[in-house]
Amino acid sequence: MASIYIDEDIGRDEPTQLGTEASPFKTLQFAYLQHPAQAQYLTRKSASADDEAAKEWKPAAKSAMKKVVNYYEQQKKKASREQELAIRRKGEEDERNKVLEEAKKIVLEEDASLPKPVTIKLDESGDHIKLRKTDDAKGKGTRVRVLGRVHRERKQKDVLFVTLRDGYGFLQVVISGKLAKTYEALTLTRETSMEIFGEMREVPAGARAPLNRELHADFYKIPKHWRAAGGDDAITNRVQASAEHATLLDLRHLTLRGETASSVLLVRDALEFAFNQAYHEARIRKVSPPALVQTQVEGGSTLFKFDYYGADAFLTQSSQLYLETCLPSMGSVYCIEKSFRAEKSLTRRHLSEFTHIEAELDFIDFNDLLDHLEFLICRVIELTMADPIIAEFIKKLNPEFQVPARPFMRMKYSDAIQWLIDHEIPNEEGEPHNFGDDIAEAAERRMTDIINKPIFLTHFPAHIKAFYMKKDPQDSRVTESVDCLMPGVGEIVGGSMRIDDYDELLAACKREGLDPEPYYWYLDQRKYVQFHYPFAD
C-alpha cells in the first residue's frame, strides 16, 4: 500500500497523474476514486511562497476521509447497479432480437374463403356496414378493407390495439393471434400506413372506441415503404407537446399530423363549405378574382411588390374591386381567395397571407348590409355545428364557444368613443379616446367582452377608412361602414357601402394620393354603368 499525495495548488485531477509527491492530485475525492484504501493520503493546501509551514505534507483529516469513503461506496454501488442494468438490458435485447428473427419467418396470407371486403373510409357508417354484436357468438359483422395511418398503438398481453386515422375519422383495430406476432406488428411505429381487412364489431360493454365499434383484423399489409421511422427519428421523439414553439413551427409538416393541428384544418374545411352553402342559399354567385394586380385596395405600405414582365405588380390585398366589376353582369357575388398584407406584426390581426372571404351585394342599403352579415355569420355557424364530428372538434379547440344570439347589438363609432370614455378605457397613449381615433384592438376587445354580445360597430370616420367607402348622407364626417365584434374573439367581419358616383370616387382617389390611371377600369364601372345603388362586402 502506498501513500497518495494531494496538492491543492499544483495538483491535477487527471487519470494520468500518479498520486506521487512529484505527480499529485488536486482533490482528495478524485485521489480516493483513483486509488482507494491506500496506506495514507497526504495533503497540503495552497500557501504564499514565504509560508514554509503550509508546504508540509499532512495526513488528510478524518472528517474529510469519511466523506470521500462514503462517496466512493455510493459510486461503487451505483456502478454495480448500472452494470446489472446493462446486463439485463443486453439479455432483453438479445431475447427481443431472437423474437424478431422468429417473427420474420411468419408470412401472412389472406384467407380466400372469407367474404370479399367492402372498402370504407374510417368514419363511414350506414346499412352497408353491419356490426357483430358483442354477445352474438354466431353472428357476423361486415368484412371491410380500410387504409390509414397509425395514430396510436398499445399492446395488452398478446393483443395489439391500433388506432388508425385517414383524415375522415378514426378506427380502433384489434390485431391478435398470429397477426400480432409478425415482424411488422412487433416493430410497428406511429405514422406507419396500413391496409387492414377484418370484421366490424361492437366494442365490449364498458369499453370505448370511435363510433362505438372496432375492426377485428384477419389480414393486413404493410409494404416496406409504408413503414414510418422509428428510434431517434420516431415522430414522437421529433414532435412533442413540450417542445418550444419555434421548434414546432420548423416541424410544421409533422405537427399537422397531431390531433389539434389537424382538427383546426378540418374545421376550416367545414367553415369554407358552410360559407359556400350559405352564399348559394342567398343566391350569391362565386367568382375567382386574380391574385396578381396593379392597384392597391388598402394602404400602399402593405403591398407586396414584384416585377411582372417589366411592369410593377403586387399581390392582392383584397379582391373587392374585382368583385365589383362582376356585379353588374352576375348580380351579388362572392369569393374565397388569398389576400396578402406586407405588415411585420406579431398580433393575430395582422397576417402576411390569409384566406379572405369577400362579397359585393347590389340593390341594398346600409341596414340591408347589416341584416345580411348577421344572417351570414349565424347561418355559417349553424351549418358548421350541424356536423357532430366538426362540432366536437370545435368543443375541444374552444370549450367556451357559444353560438351567438340574435339580434346583434348595433353601436355607432361615436357612441363607442363615449362608452370608452365613460368606462375609463384609454387609447394606446393612455389618454381618453377622442372622436377620430382609430380604436386599438385591446380597447375594442375589452369593450366587446364587457358588453358580452356581438356588436355591429358602425359609421367610422372617413379619414381612417378606405377611399371607396361611401359617406353617411346625414353626417359627412363618417362612412357607412361596419366592423362586427365578437366577445372573446374581436373583429371578425368588416364592410361598407361603396361610393357610386364617378366624380366623388375620382375625388376620393386624388385625396388619398392615388393615381387614377391604374384604376381606370374601376372608375369605368361608375362612368358606363351609372350605378344608382350602393355596394357592400
Side-chain angles (χ1 to χ4, degrees):
M1 298 179 71
S3 295
I4 304 299
Y5 291 83
I6 299 98
D7 190 315
E8 294 181 359
D9 189 16
I10 64 172
R12 290 184 298 165
D13 283 346
E14 297 175 359
T16 54
Q17 294 294 95
L18 302 177
T20 62
E21 188 172 358
S23 179
F25 293 107
K26 186 176 184 64
T27 64
L28 178 61
Q29 179 173 284
F30 189 85
Y32 196 89
L33 289 175
Q34 300 300 310
H35 299 279
Q38 296 300 307
Q40 61 179 344
Y41 296 85
L42 301 176
T43 68
R44 64 182 180 187
K45 297 183 179 181
S46 301
S48 59
D50 57 352
D51 189 352
E52 296 296 332
K55 295 181 180 180
E56 296 179 3
W57 295 100
K58 298 179 181 180
K62 290 183 178 180
S63 59
M65 286 300 303
K66 184 177 180 180
K67 287 181 180 180
V68 298
V69 170
N70 287 340
Y71 180 77
Y72 170 77
E73 293 299 329
Q74 291 173 4
Q75 294 302 108
K76 186 177 177 182
K77 290 178 181 178
K78 181 179 178 181
S80 178
R81 288 195 300 269
E82 289 178 350
Q83 185 178 15
E84 291 175 2
L85 183 60
I87 293 172
R88 185 161 66 248
R89 286 175 177 169
K90 178 73 166 55
E92 292 172 351
E93 184 178 350
D94 291 343
E95 181 62 27
R96 177 170 171 77
N97 289 335
K98 181 179 178 182
V99 171
L100 290 177
E101 287 302 315
E102 290 298 316
K104 290 178 180 179
K105 300 176 183 178
I106 300 175
V107 178
L108 299 182
E109 293 183 358
E110 185 177 3
D111 187 345
S113 67
L114 293 174
K116 184 179 179 180
V118 177
T119 300
I120 66 169
K121 297 293 185 183
L122 300 187
D123 68 334
E124 196 170 331
S125 60
D127 295 338
H128 63 298
I129 303 176
K130 179 182 178 182
L131 302 184
R132 177 177 172 178
K133 304 292 183 182
T134 304
D135 56 356
D136 188 351
K138 296 182 179 180
K140 292 291 183 182
T142 302
R143 187 168 185 258
V144 301
R145 168 181 173 267
V146 298
L147 295 104
R149 295 174 180 83
V150 177
H151 187 66
R152 64 172 64 93
E153 43 80 27
R154 64 182 175 88
K155 196 163 188 179
Q156 185 175 319
K157 295 184 179 179
D158 294 327
V159 180
L160 181 64
F161 292 90
V162 176
T163 300
L164 288 187
R165 76 167 194 280
D166 66 353
Y168 295 91
F170 298 86
L171 178 65
Q172 179 168 288
V173 181
V174 181
I175 300 175
S176 59
K178 179 181 176 180
L179 275 68
K181 298 178 181 179
T182 66
Y183 179 82
E184 289 77 13
L186 295 178
T187 59
L188 190 64
T189 53
R190 293 192 185 185
E191 294 306 312
T192 291
S193 297
M194 301 182 72
E195 179 183 7
I196 306 180
F197 303 75
E199 181 187 33
M200 295 293 286
R201 301 182 186 179
E202 284 185 347
V203 296
R208 296 182 63 186
L211 299 179
N212 198 38
R213 65 184 186 180
E214 58 189 13
L215 175 64
H216 285 252
D218 58 54
F219 180 65
Y220 62 80
K221 298 178 184 177
I222 307 177
K224 185 176 181 180
H225 61 281
W226 285 18
R227 298 178 194 171
D232 292 339
D233 281 337
I235 194 167
T236 48
N237 289 330
R238 297 191 65 191
V239 180
Q240 300 178 5
S242 58
E244 292 184 0
H245 189 60
T247 299
L248 294 178
L249 286 175
D250 287 340
L251 297 175
R252 193 65 171 167
H253 58 292
L254 298 180
T255 59
L256 287 177
R257 300 181 181 221
E259 289 189 38
T260 299
S262 62
S263 61
V264 169
L265 295 182
L266 291 168
V267 170
R268 280 175 58 99
D269 170 66
L271 277 170
E272 186 167 328
F273 182 81
F275 269 107
N276 282 310
Q277 186 173 343
Y279 275 126
H280 280 268
E281 287 178 0
R283 301 193 66 193
I284 301 175
R285 295 186 171 96
K286 187 175 185 179
V287 295
S288 297
L292 310 182
V293 300
Q294 289 188 295
T295 52
Q296 71 179 54
V297 181
E298 304 296 334
S301 63
T302 68
L303 287 166
F304 280 107
K305 185 178 180 180
F306 63 96
D307 177 78
Y308 187 75
Y309 304 110
D312 289 339
F314 314 97
L315 295 177
T316 183
Q317 299 166 313
S318 166
S319 297
Q320 174 231 310
L321 304 188
Y322 287 89
L323 286 174
E324 288 191 34
T325 68
C326 297
L327 188 143
S329 60
M330 298 180 66
S332 297
V333 290
Y334 80 99
C335 71
I336 301 178
E337 300 288 346
K338 288 295 183 70
S339 287
F340 305 87
R341 305 284 171 86
E343 294 181 275
K344 274 195 173 183
S345 174
L346 294 178
T347 72
R348 57 184 174 182
R349 294 183 66 174
H350 299 91
L351 299 173
S352 296
E353 176 184 352
F354 59 96
T355 301
H356 206 168
I357 301 172
E358 300 180 273
E360 292 295 322
L361 311 181
D362 63 355
F363 297 108
I364 65 169
D365 61 24
F366 189 57
N367 285 324
D368 292 332
L369 170 60
L370 301 185
D371 291 340
H372 165 76
L373 291 177
E374 187 171 304
F375 154 78
L376 183 68
I377 293 167
C378 294
R379 182 57 177 153
V380 166
I381 293 174
E382 178 185 309
L383 290 168
T384 304
M385 297 300 289
D387 184 330
I389 294 176
I390 298 300
E392 185 63 25
F393 285 150
I394 293 173
K395 184 178 179 181
K396 288 182 179 179
L397 291 168
N398 185 3
E400 298 180 0
F401 173 76
Q402 294 181 346
V403 175
R406 303 175 70 175
F408 292 3
M409 181 180 180
R410 301 187 181 190
M411 174 188 283
K412 288 187 175 182
Y413 164 89
S414 57
D415 295 329
I417 291 294
Q418 188 59 51
W419 190 96
L420 292 169
I421 294 172
D422 293 342
H423 288 78
E424 298 181 349
I425 298 175
N427 60 22
E428 289 184 305
E429 286 73 39
E431 301 294 330
H433 280 85
N434 291 299
F435 187 92
D437 287 351
D438 191 356
I439 303 175
E441 179 189 10
E444 193 175 79
R445 285 174 61 84
R446 189 174 174 191
M447 178 183 73
T448 308
D449 290 343
I450 292 173
I451 294 174
N452 197 31
K453 62 175 62 176
I455 302 171
F456 281 135
L457 190 57
T458 68
H459 297 87
F460 290 88
H463 73 274
I464 63 173
K465 287 297 182 180
F467 73 93
Y468 50 75
M469 293 188 179
K470 188 173 184 177
K471 293 182 178 179
D472 182 357
Q474 307 301 321
D475 185 352
S476 61
R477 299 178 306 160
V478 299
T479 55
E480 290 188 319
S481 54
V482 58
D483 285 347
C484 181
L485 312 178
M486 200 66 65
V489 179
E491 180 187 346
I492 61 170
V493 176
S496 76
M497 305 303 286
R498 309 301 191 213
I499 295 175
D500 54 6
D501 180 78
Y502 176 88
D503 293 330
E504 185 181 351
L505 186 59
L506 180 61
C509 282
K510 294 179 178 179
R511 185 179 65 248
E512 295 297 322
L514 299 176
D515 180 5
E517 181 59 29
Y519 294 87
Y520 74 94
W521 55 273
Y522 183 63
L523 293 165
D524 274 355
Q525 305 305 313
R526 279 68 175 172
K527 184 176 181 180
Y528 287 98
V529 182
Q530 289 298 315
F531 293 124
H532 294 292
Y533 48 85
F535 297 90
D537 70 347

